[in-house]
Amino acid sequence: MRMSRRAATATAALVTSLLTLTACGAADGSGGADSASGKVEGEVTFQTWNLRAHFKDYFEGIIADFEEKHPDAKIKWVDQPAEGYPEKLSSDAAGGTLPDVVNASPDLVYPLAKAGMALDLEKAAGKYREEYLDEAWQSNQMPGMPGVYAFPWYLNTGPMFYNKHLFRKAGLDPEKPPTTYDQLFKDAVSMARKSDRKIAMLASTPSIEDFGRYGVRLMNARGTEFTFNEPKGVELLRHYKELYAAGALDSQALTAKAESSGRKFQQQSVAMNPGSALDLETFKKEAPSLYKNIGITDTVNNTGRANMYVQGLMVNAQSNVKPAAVAFAHFVTNKKNQMAFAKQVTIFPSTKGSLDDPYFTEEDGTDATRVRVASAKSLKNAVNYTPVLLSDQMKTVLRNAVAKALQGEQSPKAALDGAVAECNRLLKTG
């Protein structure tokens, strides 16, 4: 089960393959919302994404409960492997075999909504809106389209780990890790100087999420153009260039992957890195000297809001059993069932009030609760900073631009201007 599951490259292919459907479908995605009201009956095909292997009993229990409550409805559960899932959605959509209820992240919902194949739940099920966190509900709004196209399901985020011992050695307060980018930049340079450039604060270059957390406007209000080259974006990249020159950003950051960043943190050559409860368990076994000095804090941001990863349940606008499909998608994502799911795996409910449960607010001394409590706290007002329309190809464009700026091949402004121009070109050409 992958928590973030960003499949944007395949999403671009999905967009392309559905363009022909957009012309003949309901371009606003409404798909006949009025028909979503009515008797809950018929067979609903429910498709999840790589969940059966570990959560078979949980889902079979939910299905049994729903069918008991609605005896005229039956649920047919199918689970698809993670590999090739976007392509499977594309094939089903093009062939008219898209399931009635589909597990999908916002980036996968977008092309289906554009093709008129995702039901507008703002119209069809707006009465349920108040049950969900506002940002979670809004995460399934699509650029340039009115409405919401999936029920928010489970959420995730990640805390930031930091090494208290390295903070002390650098003369930094280990109980006051940086919470803003200005403080991060200041502390990072200080650490590099005190360690004679042997210890870097960070091991990775800024991603689109960093631009969002810094307070950069990533797209225009209509969602038709990228705008992360605005002055604030240039300012962020200029700071990272200074970090790189000072040795405060790891020398291999331009080519580093998440795994290598984690290894450097474990080797204690990097002072801060995002992580999870599983990482804590690894540190405890493999790096006890690091483990005893681990601090946990929110990811640095200037907005006061952490990043939110969202999974949802989309209802097929062309379904012949819309009332039952809407009822079941809501049932799976209601407060009770989301809470039960969260106690089986490290995810977080998208329903209001759930994050105030003692399960998410009280520590018991274990690694799992340390991370769970910290993450749940940050999710209460988190947002999804990654634009729905940002493909993997666009991410590569941004990554290359950042590398050019850090290495001095281009100025931060020129690098970002070029990246935005190319991303906007890709956006227009599909």
Side-chain angles (χ1 to χ4, degrees), residues 28 39 103 145 171 195 209 231 287 330 340 344 363 370:
D28 66 353
K39 187 175 181 182
N103 172 199
M145 300 173 64
S195 68
E209 293 168 13
H330 171 253
Q344 295 203 20
E363 293 188 27
R370 290 176 68 189

Side-chain angles (χ1 to χ4, degrees), residues 1-2 5 7 49-51 79-87:
M1 180 182 186
R2 296 184 296 171
R5 301 199 290 197
W49 184 353
N50 197 29
L51 295 176
D79 187 64
Q80 299 293 343
E83 191 67 29
Y85 188 72
E87 291 84 355

